Amino acid sequence: TLRTLDSQIPDSERFKFARPFTPTCPSCKKPYCFDGIARQKSPGIESGLACTHCGHLPTIGFLANQLTLLIRSLIREYYAFVMQCDEPSCALKTRVLTVSGSRCLRPQCSGRLNEIFSDKLLYHQMQYFAALMNIERSAARLECTASEVKILRDKHIEYFKRLAMIVDMHLSVSAR
């Protein structure tokens, strides 16, 4: 079968299973969705760094730590190697492989075991984090000009450099 190259798939489709980066605000203690460089606001766009509940801007170190912890938990989830049976009536979850390949461990089940969190999902998750720091992708997602997004990025350039460095460091170590 012919498949589309990952580079030709739109971000909305490629990242539909990606988990959002939701740091907890140090001021109001509520988690908020980090939308990258910019996010939609009623008349235009605003910086995606500040808390959506109280407007507090966390420190660079705080956001960097939250992102690092999230990435490490995702990598840990990948290395847990949990498999799930694709038979709906079974849905067995296990970390044990059989000698007969990917056959389900339950007797009388004809299902196959598949990874819950594959290397491809982990790679797409890391690409999603990288896309949050990208001007062109943010502009396309928000349907605005790249110069508007660049202005917001330049106001907090140190934040985005540090967060992008963290993502790039993990991608360079174990990229697909």
Side-chain angles (χ1 to χ4, degrees):
T1 62
L2 294 175
R3 293 193 293 180
T4 307
L5 293 172
D6 278 351
S7 62
Q8 296 175 336
I9 298 172
D11 285 351
S12 59
E13 182 68 24
R14 181 181 315 145
F15 302 137
K16 70 180 175 185
F17 296 115
R19 296 178 195 162
F21 175 37
T22 53
T24 302
C25 177
S27 179
C28 68
K29 308 290 187 233
K30 294 180 183 176
Y32 68 96
C33 188
F34 176 84
D35 293 321
I37 297 173
R39 69 172 153 249
Q40 204 69 48
K41 191 180 177 184
S42 45
I45 59 173
E46 67 178 358
S47 175
L49 290 168
C51 175
T52 54
H53 305 291
C54 67
H56 177 75
L57 181 65
T59 64
I60 297 173
F62 182 82
L63 285 175
N65 188 37
Q66 295 262 320
L67 182 60
T68 302
L69 290 173
L70 176 59
I71 290 171
R72 286 180 182 171
S73 74
L74 293 167
I75 292 170
R76 207 171 20 259
E77 185 178 343
Y78 165 71
Y79 280 115
F81 199 67
V82 178
M83 309 277 279
Q84 183 170 15
C85 180
D86 61 2
E87 179 66 39
S89 63
C90 177
L92 171 76
K93 286 186 181 179
T94 184
R95 292 178 61 188
V96 178
L97 279 176
T98 64
V99 286
S100 58
S102 60
R103 256 189 67 229
C104 183
L105 297 170
R106 286 208 173 124
Q108 286 81 39
C109 180
S110 60
R112 301 189 65 75
L113 295 173
N114 298 309
E115 287 179 83
I116 292 178
F117 198 69
S118 67
D119 64 327
K120 186 174 183 176
L121 281 175
L122 178 61
Y123 180 69
H124 282 181
Q125 182 70 51
M126 298 301 289
Q127 287 291 318
Y128 169 73
F129 292 146
L132 290 177
M133 315 307 163
N134 187 291
I135 293 174
E136 289 78 23
R137 285 183 163 169
S138 292
R141 179 175 47 85
L142 297 170
E143 298 172 355
C144 63
T145 64
S147 60
E148 291 175 286
V149 176
K150 189 176 183 322
I151 291 168
L152 286 173
R153 197 243 3 230
D154 290 346
K155 285 183 183 176
H156 305 288
I157 190 74
E158 292 305 315
Y159 279 81
F160 294 110
K161 277 184 180 178
R162 177 96 175 265
L163 296 175
M165 182 190 70
I166 291 168
V167 174
D168 291 342
M169 178 185 67
H170 283 90
L171 273 173
S172 67
V173 170
S174 56
R176 196 162 202 250

